[in-house]
Amino acid sequence: MKSAVMAAVIALSAGQAMADEVIVFAAASLKTALDEIASGYEAETGDTVLISYAGSSKLAQQIIQGAPADVFISASTQWMDAVEAEELLAEGSRTDLLGNSLVLVGFEDATFDIADLPVHLGNERLAMALVNSVPAGQYGKEALTSLGLWDTLAPSIAQADNVRAALALVATGEAPFGIVYASDAVAEPAVHVIASFAEDTHAPIIYPAALTTEGDDAGFLDYLSTPQAADVFAAQGFTVLQGEK
């Protein structure tokens, strides 16, 4: 009996020793899907996944400044490029993981053409992520510029640190309208999709993912391209690119 108990203790200790901790820096728009995926990964592997969510620009700058992250998932190629330029990505690990689309959402349930947004907005505020640094804000600014609306709407923009913060402004009624990703609209039942931006009004929305030079285990990164993860991403409104290089 004693030997059996000892064997069980040794086996348990070995399992604990093998458990790993993965630090992930991820774009804020990924939170709902990635939290679910991380839970599944932890259940399968026994590893712990710690995720820091913020605007991609902020996360990229933190990695460049030395913040410890094993995996980086950006909402644009621009900020992944910035980290790669500093030679902080593990060679060959970068992959285009997901796509997304841009939508106009509102606190009230309504539909109208985006061209009519200035009329409906009136003297109220339009919620967006930071338009010069956060991908969702950059895509939104590009789309409004393409439609000839930026100069009219710019004074009415309420800028938030990241797209989920912009989404929250609409969900709570603090702003009547906002520009977010389609996946954000899926994640927040308190907002309504008013209209979608045509793909040709902005650059393609691509989410690259990569292992950093700090990371020594690509297990979680690889898990993001599994069918289990793909199902979660798709259900949350993302386009799954299935690890296209």
Side-chain angles (χ1 to χ4, degrees):
M1 175 65 73
K2 184 180 295 186
S3 60
V5 171
M6 182 62 69
V9 170
I10 293 173
L12 178 60
S13 299
Q16 291 174 334
M18 292 174 64
D20 204 355
E21 185 175 87
V22 184
I23 300 175
V24 180
F25 279 21
S29 53
L30 290 162
K31 180 171 174 51
T32 306
L34 205 56
D35 280 352
E36 182 177 345
I37 290 168
S39 293
Y41 179 78
E42 289 176 334
E44 286 191 20
T45 65
D47 292 348
T48 299
V49 182
L50 303 177
I51 308 176
S52 177
Y53 294 106
S56 299
S57 55
K58 183 176 182 179
L59 295 173
Q61 290 162 4
Q62 289 176 345
I63 293 172
I64 290 170
Q65 292 166 7
D70 300 304
V71 175
F72 178 38
I73 314 172
S74 172
S76 81
T77 57
Q78 172 191 356
W79 292 109
M80 186 65 77
D81 290 345
V83 175
E84 188 167 34
E86 297 294 326
E87 299 184 349
L88 295 174
L89 299 185
E91 186 175 354
S93 69
R94 179 173 175 171
T95 184
D96 287 341
L97 184 67
L98 303 167
N100 213 332
S101 56
L102 207 62
V103 296
L104 175 68
V105 295
F107 181 68
E108 301 289 346
D109 191 3
T111 57
F112 56 79
D113 193 283
I114 294 173
D116 297 326
L117 177 57
V119 175
H120 290 272
L121 186 64
N123 295 322
E124 299 290 338
R125 308 287 276 175
L126 175 65
M128 295 177 64
L130 295 171
V131 299
N132 292 322
S133 58
V134 175
Q138 293 174 308
Y139 293 127
K141 179 180 179 179
E142 183 182 0
L144 292 175
T145 301
S146 175
L147 294 171
L149 297 173
W150 176 252
D151 290 341
T152 300
L153 292 172
S156 301
I157 304 298
Q159 297 190 54
D161 285 344
N162 58 68
V163 70
R164 284 300 174 94
L167 180 70
L169 290 176
V170 182
T172 57
E174 294 182 60
F177 306 111
I179 298 176
V180 299
Y181 296 124
S183 58
D184 296 310
V186 172
E188 178 50 79
V191 304
H192 305 275
V193 175
I194 292 171
S196 298
F197 287 87
E199 291 183 0
D200 61 5
T201 62
H202 56 81
I205 300 173
I206 303 294
Y207 288 68
L211 191 70
T212 71
T213 52
E214 291 285 326
D216 58 4
D217 184 352
F220 183 69
L221 179 63
D222 292 340
Y223 188 80
L224 296 177
S225 295
T226 62
Q228 301 97 300
D231 286 346
V232 176
F233 282 130
Q236 287 298 319
F238 293 93
T239 302
V240 178
L241 303 180
Q242 299 181 342
E244 294 178 4
K245 293 286 186 177

